[in-house]
Amino acid sequence: MDKQLEKAFSIANYMTTLASQRQIIKEEFHQGLLYYFNGGVFKVTPALITFVKMLIDLDNDDCTVLIDDNEIPVDVKNIKEFFESILSVYYSAVNEYYTKNEKLRKSRSVESLTAL
Amino acid sequence: MTQGVLLFAQNNNEIDYLKIASYAATRVKKFLNVPVSIITTDLCNDEVFDQIIYIQDIAGNTKYFRDGNARATKSTWKNTSRSRCIDLSPYDETLVLDVDYIVNSNKLDYCWDSPYDFLIYKDSYDLGNWRNNKEFRNISDQSIEFYWATVFFFRKTPDVRSFFTLVDHIKENWSFYKMVYNVHSHSFRNDIAFSIGLHMMNGFTTGNFAGNLPGKLHYILDTDYLIGINGTSMQFLVQNQSDYICLKTSGLDMHVMNKYSLLREISNV
Protein backbone atom coordinates (compact mmCIF):
# COMPACT_ATOMS: atom_id res chain seq x y z
CA MET A 1 0.00 0.00 0.00
CA ASP A 2 1.17 3.51 -0.74
CA LYS A 3 2.93 4.86 2.41
CA GLN A 4 0.97 8.08 2.35
CA LEU A 5 -2.30 6.17 2.15
CA GLU A 6 -1.17 3.89 4.96
CA LYS A 7 -0.44 6.92 7.09
CA ALA A 8 -3.84 8.40 6.24
CA PHE A 9 -5.59 5.23 7.40
CA SER A 10 -3.52 5.19 10.56
CA ILE A 11 -4.47 8.78 11.37
CA ALA A 12 -8.12 8.04 10.62
CA ASN A 13 -7.95 5.11 13.03
CA TYR A 14 -6.39 7.33 15.68
CA MET A 15 -9.04 10.04 15.17
CA THR A 16 -11.85 7.49 15.46
CA THR A 17 -10.37 6.10 18.64
CA LEU A 18 -9.87 9.59 20.06
CA ALA A 19 -13.47 10.58 19.30
CA SER A 20 -14.85 7.40 20.87
CA GLN A 21 -12.57 7.68 23.88
CA ARG A 22 -13.76 11.27 24.43
CA GLN A 23 -17.34 9.99 24.49
CA ILE A 24 -16.40 7.29 26.98
CA ILE A 25 -14.73 9.67 29.44
CA LYS A 26 -17.79 11.88 29.14
CA GLU A 27 -19.95 8.88 30.10
CA GLU A 28 -17.63 8.21 33.05
CA PHE A 29 -17.93 11.86 34.06
CA HIS A 30 -21.74 11.77 33.97
CA GLN A 31 -21.71 8.64 36.11
CA GLY A 32 -19.37 10.34 38.55
CA LEU A 33 -21.87 13.16 39.00
CA LEU A 34 -24.55 10.87 40.44
CA TYR A 35 -25.23 11.39 44.14
CA TYR A 36 -27.56 9.19 46.16
CA PHE A 37 -29.34 10.64 49.15
CA ASN A 38 -32.24 9.32 51.22
CA GLY A 39 -33.59 7.12 48.42
CA GLY A 40 -33.17 9.78 45.78
CA VAL A 41 -30.67 10.11 42.97
CA PHE A 42 -29.35 13.50 41.99
CA LYS A 43 -27.14 14.36 39.08
CA VAL A 44 -24.93 17.10 40.49
CA THR A 45 -25.06 19.94 38.00
CA PRO A 46 -24.15 23.62 38.35
CA ALA A 47 -27.91 24.30 38.37
CA LEU A 48 -28.45 22.01 41.37
CA ILE A 49 -25.49 23.49 43.22
CA THR A 50 -26.72 27.03 42.55
CA PHE A 51 -30.28 26.20 43.63
CA VAL A 52 -29.17 24.58 46.88
CA LYS A 53 -26.81 27.48 47.62
CA MET A 54 -29.71 29.88 47.04
CA LEU A 55 -31.84 27.96 49.53
CA ILE A 56 -29.06 28.25 52.11
CA ASP A 57 -28.62 31.96 51.41
CA LEU A 58 -32.32 32.48 52.01
CA ASP A 59 -31.64 31.30 55.59
CA ASN A 60 -33.51 28.09 55.00
CA ASP A 61 -32.56 26.10 58.09
CA ASP A 62 -35.66 23.96 58.15
CA CYS A 63 -36.14 20.67 56.39
CA THR A 64 -36.13 21.11 52.67
CA VAL A 65 -37.73 18.89 50.09
CA LEU A 66 -35.85 18.54 46.80
CA ILE A 67 -37.06 16.81 43.65
CA ASP A 68 -34.62 14.14 42.47
CA ASP A 69 -33.85 13.09 38.89
CA ASN A 70 -36.76 10.63 38.91
CA GLU A 71 -39.07 13.49 39.98
CA ILE A 72 -39.50 11.99 43.44
CA PRO A 73 -39.59 14.39 46.42
CA VAL A 74 -36.70 13.75 48.81
CA ASP A 75 -36.56 15.07 52.35
CA VAL A 76 -33.27 16.83 53.10
CA LYS A 77 -32.98 17.51 56.81
CA ASN A 78 -29.67 19.35 56.69
CA ILE A 79 -29.39 21.39 53.54
CA LYS A 80 -25.89 22.66 54.38
CA GLU A 81 -24.55 19.16 54.76
CA PHE A 82 -26.25 18.19 51.50
CA PHE A 83 -24.61 21.17 49.80
CA GLU A 84 -21.15 20.18 51.05
CA SER A 85 -21.68 16.64 49.79
CA ILE A 86 -22.82 17.58 46.30
CA LEU A 87 -20.01 20.11 46.00
CA SER A 88 -17.53 17.39 46.89
CA VAL A 89 -19.07 15.04 44.30
CA TYR A 90 -18.91 17.76 41.66
CA TYR A 91 -15.28 18.69 42.28
CA SER A 92 -14.21 15.07 42.34
CA ALA A 93 -15.98 14.27 39.05
CA VAL A 94 -14.86 17.42 37.27
CA ASN A 95 -11.23 17.08 38.34
CA GLU A 96 -11.12 13.47 37.25
CA TYR A 97 -12.71 14.40 33.91
CA TYR A 98 -10.14 17.14 33.44
CA THR A 99 -7.26 14.77 34.18
CA LYS A 100 -8.58 12.17 31.74
CA ASN A 101 -9.19 14.78 29.07
CA GLU A 102 -5.68 16.17 29.43
CA LYS A 103 -4.27 12.67 29.06
CA LEU A 104 -6.29 12.20 25.88
CA ARG A 105 -5.17 15.55 24.56
CA LYS A 106 -1.52 14.66 25.02
CA SER A 107 -1.79 11.14 23.63
CA ARG A 108 -0.46 10.81 20.10
CA SER A 109 -1.13 7.15 19.42
CA VAL A 110 -3.93 4.64 19.79
CA GLU A 111 -1.77 2.73 22.26
CA SER A 112 -1.39 5.68 24.61
CA LEU A 113 -5.11 6.54 24.29
CA THR A 114 -6.22 3.10 25.40
CA ALA A 115 -3.42 1.75 27.61
CA LEU A 116 -4.66 0.04 30.76
CA MET B 1 -34.42 -6.41 55.46
CA THR B 2 -31.85 -8.75 53.97
CA GLN B 3 -30.04 -7.58 50.86
CA GLY B 4 -28.04 -9.52 48.31
CA VAL B 5 -27.15 -10.18 44.71
CA LEU B 6 -28.46 -13.14 42.77
CA LEU B 7 -26.64 -14.69 39.82
CA PHE B 8 -27.92 -17.33 37.43
CA ALA B 9 -25.32 -19.73 36.02
CA GLN B 10 -26.15 -22.80 33.98
CA ASN B 11 -23.25 -24.19 31.98
CA ASN B 12 -23.57 -25.42 28.43
CA ASN B 13 -20.98 -27.23 26.33
CA GLU B 14 -19.44 -23.91 25.24
CA ILE B 15 -19.43 -21.52 28.19
CA ASP B 16 -18.35 -22.10 31.81
CA TYR B 17 -20.94 -19.79 33.37
CA LEU B 18 -19.92 -20.86 36.87
CA LYS B 19 -16.39 -19.58 36.35
CA ILE B 20 -17.71 -16.24 35.10
CA ALA B 21 -20.16 -16.11 38.02
CA SER B 22 -17.35 -16.67 40.51
CA TYR B 23 -15.43 -13.70 39.09
CA ALA B 24 -18.57 -11.56 38.92
CA ALA B 25 -19.30 -12.37 42.56
CA THR B 26 -15.86 -11.20 43.72
CA ARG B 27 -16.45 -7.89 41.95
CA VAL B 28 -19.88 -7.50 43.56
CA LYS B 29 -18.46 -8.16 47.03
CA LYS B 30 -15.65 -5.69 46.44
CA PHE B 31 -17.77 -2.80 45.18
CA LEU B 32 -21.23 -3.38 46.64
CA ASN B 33 -20.27 -5.23 49.83
CA VAL B 34 -23.33 -7.49 49.83
CA PRO B 35 -23.63 -11.29 49.85
CA VAL B 36 -23.96 -13.09 46.50
CA SER B 37 -25.97 -16.24 45.94
CA ILE B 38 -26.10 -18.36 42.83
CA ILE B 39 -28.86 -20.29 41.08
CA THR B 40 -27.41 -23.19 39.17
CA THR B 41 -27.95 -26.69 37.82
CA ASP B 42 -24.24 -27.57 38.04
CA LEU B 43 -22.26 -28.77 41.00
CA CYS B 44 -20.63 -25.82 42.71
CA ASN B 45 -18.62 -25.55 45.92
CA ASP B 46 -17.17 -22.10 45.46
CA GLU B 47 -17.03 -20.35 48.84
CA VAL B 48 -17.46 -16.93 47.27
CA PHE B 49 -21.19 -17.63 47.20
CA ASP B 50 -23.33 -17.00 50.25
CA GLN B 51 -25.80 -19.64 49.14
CA ILE B 52 -25.80 -22.11 46.26
CA ILE B 53 -29.35 -22.86 45.16
CA TYR B 54 -29.81 -25.80 42.87
CA ILE B 55 -32.67 -25.97 40.40
CA GLN B 56 -33.77 -28.63 37.99
CA ASP B 57 -32.16 -28.56 34.57
CA ILE B 58 -34.73 -27.43 32.03
CA ALA B 59 -34.07 -27.50 28.29
CA GLY B 60 -33.48 -23.98 27.10
CA ASN B 61 -33.30 -22.31 23.73
CA THR B 62 -30.37 -22.57 21.35
CA LYS B 63 -28.50 -19.61 20.03
CA TYR B 64 -25.20 -18.70 18.44
CA PHE B 65 -22.44 -17.83 20.88
CA ARG B 66 -20.01 -15.52 19.15
CA ASP B 67 -16.37 -14.91 19.90
CA GLY B 68 -16.02 -11.68 17.96
CA ASN B 69 -15.77 -12.44 14.28
CA ALA B 70 -13.57 -15.47 14.95
CA ARG B 71 -16.33 -17.99 15.48
CA ALA B 72 -20.01 -18.55 16.12
CA THR B 73 -21.07 -21.78 17.75
CA LYS B 74 -24.63 -22.91 18.31
CA SER B 75 -25.31 -24.12 21.83
CA THR B 76 -27.98 -24.33 24.48
CA TRP B 77 -28.99 -21.09 26.12
CA LYS B 78 -30.65 -21.80 29.45
CA ASN B 79 -32.41 -18.53 30.16
CA THR B 80 -35.91 -19.54 31.18
CA SER B 81 -35.52 -19.56 34.98
CA ARG B 82 -35.11 -15.83 35.45
CA SER B 83 -38.77 -15.19 36.30
CA ARG B 84 -38.48 -17.57 39.26
CA CYS B 85 -36.02 -15.26 41.00
CA ILE B 86 -38.67 -13.93 43.38
CA ASP B 87 -39.19 -17.41 44.81
CA LEU B 88 -35.56 -18.53 44.58
CA SER B 89 -33.93 -15.47 46.10
CA PRO B 90 -33.04 -15.84 49.79
CA TYR B 91 -33.09 -12.06 50.22
CA ASP B 92 -35.88 -9.54 50.87
CA GLU B 93 -34.17 -7.08 48.54
CA THR B 94 -32.44 -8.65 45.55
CA LEU B 95 -30.26 -7.30 42.80
CA VAL B 96 -30.20 -9.77 39.92
CA LEU B 97 -27.22 -9.54 37.59
CA ASP B 98 -26.24 -11.40 34.46
CA VAL B 99 -22.93 -13.12 35.18
CA ASP B 100 -21.35 -11.23 32.27
CA TYR B 101 -22.27 -7.89 33.84
CA ILE B 102 -18.99 -6.89 35.47
CA VAL B 103 -19.27 -4.44 38.35
CA ASN B 104 -16.51 -1.82 38.47
CA SER B 105 -18.15 0.77 40.72
CA ASN B 106 -20.65 1.22 43.54
CA LYS B 107 -23.21 2.80 41.21
CA LEU B 108 -25.78 0.07 41.95
CA ASP B 109 -25.74 0.90 45.68
CA TYR B 110 -28.63 3.24 44.87
CA CYS B 111 -31.13 0.40 44.67
CA TRP B 112 -31.17 -0.53 48.38
CA ASP B 113 -32.62 2.86 49.40
CA SER B 114 -34.79 3.42 46.35
CA PRO B 115 -38.50 4.09 46.94
CA TYR B 116 -39.23 1.85 43.93
CA ASP B 117 -39.75 -1.86 44.55
CA PHE B 118 -38.58 -2.70 41.04
CA LEU B 119 -35.70 -1.07 39.19
CA ILE B 120 -34.38 -1.81 35.72
CA TYR B 121 -32.32 -0.20 32.97
CA LYS B 122 -33.90 1.38 29.93
CA ASP B 123 -31.09 3.69 28.86
CA SER B 124 -27.95 2.10 27.53
CA TYR B 125 -24.64 3.02 25.91
CA ASP B 126 -22.92 0.93 23.26
CA LEU B 127 -19.16 1.43 23.33
CA GLY B 128 -19.46 1.22 19.55
CA ASN B 129 -21.65 4.29 19.54
CA TRP B 130 -21.45 4.56 15.75
CA ARG B 131 -23.61 1.45 15.47
CA ASN B 132 -27.32 1.47 14.82
CA ASN B 133 -28.62 -0.07 18.03
CA LYS B 134 -32.34 0.50 17.56
CA GLU B 135 -32.97 -3.09 18.73
CA PHE B 136 -32.13 -1.87 22.24
CA ARG B 137 -34.46 1.13 22.13
CA ASN B 138 -37.67 -0.67 21.17
CA ILE B 139 -38.39 -4.40 21.12
CA SER B 140 -39.14 -4.07 17.42
CA ASP B 141 -39.97 -1.33 14.92
CA GLN B 142 -43.11 0.54 16.00
CA SER B 143 -43.31 -1.44 19.23
CA ILE B 144 -42.82 -0.77 22.91
CA GLU B 145 -39.73 0.39 24.77
CA PHE B 146 -36.92 -2.08 25.40
CA TYR B 147 -35.86 -2.80 28.99
CA TRP B 148 -32.69 -4.70 29.89
CA ALA B 149 -33.19 -7.83 32.01
CA THR B 150 -29.40 -7.88 32.46
CA VAL B 151 -29.59 -6.01 35.75
CA PHE B 152 -32.70 -5.50 37.84
CA PHE B 153 -33.62 -4.97 41.45
CA PHE B 154 -36.74 -6.06 43.27
CA ARG B 155 -38.34 -6.31 46.66
CA LYS B 156 -40.65 -9.19 47.43
CA THR B 157 -43.98 -7.41 47.26
CA PRO B 158 -47.35 -8.54 45.84
CA ASP B 159 -47.03 -6.11 42.91
CA VAL B 160 -43.59 -7.40 41.97
CA ARG B 161 -44.85 -10.96 42.28
CA SER B 162 -47.63 -10.05 39.84
CA PHE B 163 -45.02 -8.78 37.40
CA PHE B 164 -43.09 -12.06 37.48
CA THR B 165 -46.36 -13.98 37.11
CA LEU B 166 -46.95 -12.00 33.92
CA VAL B 167 -43.42 -12.78 32.69
CA ASP B 168 -44.09 -16.49 33.28
CA HIS B 169 -47.35 -16.18 31.38
CA ILE B 170 -45.58 -14.43 28.49
CA LYS B 171 -42.96 -17.20 28.44
CA GLU B 172 -45.64 -19.90 28.29
CA ASN B 173 -47.44 -18.07 25.49
CA TRP B 174 -44.38 -16.77 23.69
CA SER B 175 -45.74 -17.42 20.18
CA PHE B 176 -48.80 -15.31 20.92
CA TYR B 177 -46.98 -12.37 22.50
CA LYS B 178 -44.33 -12.47 19.82
CA MET B 179 -47.04 -11.91 17.26
CA VAL B 180 -48.97 -9.28 19.22
CA TYR B 181 -45.86 -7.18 19.95
CA ASN B 182 -44.32 -7.78 16.52
CA VAL B 183 -41.17 -9.39 17.94
CA HIS B 184 -38.74 -10.94 15.48
CA SER B 185 -36.83 -13.17 17.87
CA HIS B 186 -37.88 -16.81 17.59
CA SER B 187 -36.24 -17.72 20.89
CA PHE B 188 -37.62 -16.60 24.21
CA ARG B 189 -35.72 -13.59 25.52
CA ASN B 190 -35.96 -12.26 29.05
CA ASP B 191 -35.36 -8.66 27.91
CA ILE B 192 -38.36 -8.76 25.63
CA ALA B 193 -40.56 -10.63 28.11
CA PHE B 194 -39.68 -8.10 30.81
CA SER B 195 -40.42 -5.23 28.44
CA ILE B 196 -43.82 -6.68 27.60
CA GLY B 197 -44.50 -7.44 31.27
CA LEU B 198 -43.70 -3.87 32.27
CA HIS B 199 -45.93 -2.57 29.50
CA MET B 200 -48.76 -4.69 30.89
CA MET B 201 -48.11 -3.66 34.50
CA ASN B 202 -48.34 -0.03 33.37
CA GLY B 203 -51.78 -0.66 31.88
CA PHE B 204 -50.52 -1.28 28.35
CA THR B 205 -48.81 2.09 28.16
CA THR B 206 -45.71 3.77 29.57
CA GLY B 207 -45.80 4.26 33.31
CA ASN B 208 -43.99 4.21 36.64
CA PHE B 209 -44.24 0.63 37.84
CA ALA B 210 -40.50 0.28 37.38
CA GLY B 211 -37.97 2.87 38.45
CA ASN B 212 -34.78 3.55 36.51
CA LEU B 213 -31.49 2.18 37.69
CA PRO B 214 -29.03 5.09 37.84
CA GLY B 215 -27.10 6.15 34.78
CA LYS B 216 -26.95 3.84 31.78
CA LEU B 217 -26.19 0.21 31.09
CA HIS B 218 -22.85 0.17 29.25
CA TYR B 219 -22.16 -2.74 26.93
CA ILE B 220 -20.21 -4.32 24.13
CA LEU B 221 -21.65 -6.85 21.69
CA ASP B 222 -20.56 -10.46 21.29
CA THR B 223 -18.87 -9.42 18.03
CA ASP B 224 -16.50 -7.27 20.11
CA TYR B 225 -13.67 -8.48 22.36
CA LEU B 226 -12.62 -7.85 25.93
CA ILE B 227 -8.80 -7.86 25.75
CA GLY B 228 -7.69 -6.63 29.16
CA ILE B 229 -8.71 -5.98 32.75
CA ASN B 230 -6.69 -3.92 35.21
CA GLY B 231 -8.48 -2.96 38.41
CA THR B 232 -11.60 -1.05 37.37
CA SER B 233 -10.29 -0.44 33.86
CA MET B 234 -11.22 -2.62 30.92
CA GLN B 235 -9.83 -2.65 27.39
CA PHE B 236 -11.87 -3.67 24.36
CA LEU B 237 -11.69 -4.21 20.63
CA VAL B 238 -14.96 -2.86 19.27
CA GLN B 239 -16.08 -3.72 15.76
CA ASN B 240 -16.27 -0.86 13.27
CA GLN B 241 -17.52 -2.36 10.00
CA SER B 242 -14.69 -4.70 8.90
CA ASP B 243 -12.17 -3.28 11.35
CA TYR B 244 -11.76 -3.05 15.13
CA ILE B 245 -11.22 0.02 17.31
CA CYS B 246 -9.42 -0.28 20.63
CA LEU B 247 -11.23 1.45 23.51
CA LYS B 248 -10.80 1.65 27.27
CA THR B 249 -13.21 2.26 30.12
CA SER B 250 -12.47 3.17 33.75
CA GLY B 251 -14.89 2.65 36.59
CA LEU B 252 -17.83 1.76 34.38
CA ASP B 253 -19.90 -1.34 35.06
CA MET B 254 -19.84 -3.24 31.78
CA HIS B 255 -22.04 -5.84 30.13
CA VAL B 256 -19.51 -7.98 28.28
CA MET B 257 -21.61 -10.03 25.88
CA ASN B 258 -18.62 -11.90 24.40
CA LYS B 259 -18.35 -14.53 27.12
CA TYR B 260 -15.46 -16.32 25.43
CA SER B 261 -13.28 -13.22 25.74
CA LEU B 262 -14.50 -12.68 29.30
CA LEU B 263 -13.43 -16.22 30.21
CA ARG B 264 -9.99 -15.64 28.66
CA GLU B 265 -9.44 -12.42 30.58
CA ILE B 266 -10.74 -13.84 33.85
CA SER B 267 -8.06 -16.52 33.56
CA ASN B 268 -5.42 -13.79 33.20
CA VAL B 269 -6.54 -11.74 36.20
Side-chain angles (χ1 to χ4, degrees):
Chain A
M1 190 190 284
D2 177 57
K3 277 203 181 318
Q4 209 162 358
L5 189 61
E6 209 173 295
K7 188 177 176 183
F9 277 124
S10 173
I11 290 171
N13 185 39
Y14 166 79
M15 295 304 290
T16 307
T17 307
L18 178 63
S20 299
Q21 212 50 57
R22 278 198 202 284
Q23 281 298 118
I24 288 171
I25 66 168
K26 201 192 292 186
E27 284 290 310
E28 291 165 1
F29 168 60
H30 286 300
Q31 181 174 285
L33 288 176
L34 295 176
Y35 176 61
Y36 307 144
F37 181 84
N38 200 15
V41 58
F42 297 89
K43 188 166 182 182
V44 180
T45 60
L48 176 67
I49 293 170
T50 309
F51 179 66
V52 173
K53 183 67 170 69
M54 183 202 70
L55 291 176
I56 293 171
D57 289 345
L58 289 171
D59 290 327
N60 192 334
D61 290 330
D62 297 337
C63 293
T64 303
V65 173
L66 297 176
I67 307 299
D68 85 340
D69 288 2
N70 290 321
E71 298 187 331
I72 292 172
V74 177
D75 185 20
V76 178
K77 290 205 176 346
N78 190 327
I79 193 73
K80 287 180 181 170
E81 246 179 53
F82 182 83
F83 178 74
E84 292 300 328
S85 297
I86 61 171
L87 209 55
S88 173
V89 165
Y90 184 78
Y91 280 134
S92 175
V94 158
N95 287 337
E96 197 176 330
Y97 187 30
Y98 177 79
T99 305
K100 287 178 184 175
N101 193 58
E102 283 298 290
K103 191 177 171 220
L104 284 188
R105 221 169 51 79
K106 290 168 184 169
S107 298
R108 290 287 174 261
S109 67
V110 169
E111 290 76 18
S112 60
L113 282 174
T114 59
L116 277 178
Chain B
M1 282 195 140
T2 57
Q3 299 171 342
V5 165
L6 199 61
L7 303 176
F8 283 76
Q10 298 171 75
N11 290 348
N12 58 24
N13 55 4
E14 281 296 312
I15 305 290
D16 187 348
Y17 280 92
L18 278 176
K19 188 172 179 182
I20 300 174
S22 180
Y23 177 74
T26 58
R27 305 295 284 192
V28 167
K29 288 189 158 187
K30 181 176 178 178
F31 291 101
L32 302 181
N33 197 27
V34 289
V36 182
S37 292
I38 188 166
I39 311 291
T40 186
T41 51
D42 306 290
L43 187 61
C44 175
N45 50 18
D46 196 331
E47 289 174 1
V48 75
F49 299 115
D50 176 38
Q51 289 189 44
I52 298 168
I53 301 159
Y54 291 102
I55 58 172
Q56 200 176 3
D57 198 355
I58 301 169
N61 305 302
T62 56
K63 75 162 195 169
Y64 279 102
F65 288 81
R66 293 181 210 284
D67 186 4
N69 270 338
R71 60 171 162 155
T73 311
K74 208 166 189 179
S75 187
T76 315
W77 185 31
K78 298 175 186 176
N79 67 336
T80 55
S81 309
R82 191 63 63 98
S83 55
R84 296 175 55 197
C85 57
I86 194 165
D87 293 314
L88 295 170
S89 172
Y91 312 113
D92 301 313
E93 298 182 337
T94 309
L95 181 61
V96 179
L97 304 179
D98 272 12
V99 296
D100 57 0
Y101 186 79
I102 305 303
V103 173
N104 287 309
S105 75
N106 61 356
K107 179 177 75 168
L108 291 171
D109 263 345
Y110 162 71
C111 60
W112 314 116
D113 292 327
S114 169
Y116 284 98
D117 292 328
F118 188 86
L119 296 167
I120 197 166
Y121 272 117
K122 184 157 64 84
D123 292 337
S124 60
Y125 183 85
D126 179 3
L127 248 54
N129 61 354
W130 50 82
R131 293 192 278 228
N132 178 0
N133 46 21
K134 61 177 183 176
E135 69 200 272
F136 299 130
R137 288 197 289 274
N138 297 85
I139 66 172
S140 69
D141 286 348
Q142 294 148 21
S143 191
I144 60 173
E145 288 174 320
F146 179 95
Y147 288 85
W148 292 81
T150 310
V151 183
F152 61 93
F153 164 83
F154 68 92
R155 295 191 180 98
K156 291 184 178 180
T157 66
D159 288 351
V160 172
R161 186 167 290 280
S162 295
F163 166 71
F164 286 115
T165 302
L166 282 176
V167 172
D168 265 336
H169 166 74
I170 292 162
K171 185 170 62 182
E172 285 157 19
N173 298 278
W174 181 241
S175 307
F176 171 74
Y177 283 99
K178 217 166 70 71
M179 183 185 65
V180 168
Y181 283 85
N182 196 24
V183 172
H184 303 304
S185 169
H186 292 293
S187 306
F188 171 79
R189 285 183 52 189
N190 282 302
D191 297 318
I192 295 174
F194 275 45
S195 304
I196 296 171
L198 289 171
H199 187 245
M200 293 167 79
M201 287 300 291
N202 286 322
F204 297 93
T205 182
T206 52
N208 293 323
F209 169 74
N212 294 319
L213 282 166
K216 297 175 189 173
L217 185 144
H218 297 91
Y219 66 92
I220 59 160
L221 299 176
D222 57 2
T223 47
D224 304 325
Y225 297 93
L226 169 66
I227 58 170
I229 303 175
N230 184 1
T232 61
S233 296
M234 300 177 100
Q235 196 178 42
F236 304 94
L237 286 175
V238 180
Q239 191 179 30
N240 183 7
Q241 296 179 351
S242 59
D243 204 353
Y244 278 86
I245 303 288
C246 184
L247 294 172
K248 182 189 98 168
T249 63
S250 292
L252 288 181
D253 299 347
M254 286 296 303
H255 186 201
V256 181
M257 295 193 206
N258 182 341
K259 294 165 190 47
Y260 292 103
S261 68
L262 184 53
L263 274 167
R264 284 192 293 271
E265 291 311 312
I266 285 169
S267 305
N268 293 335
V269 169

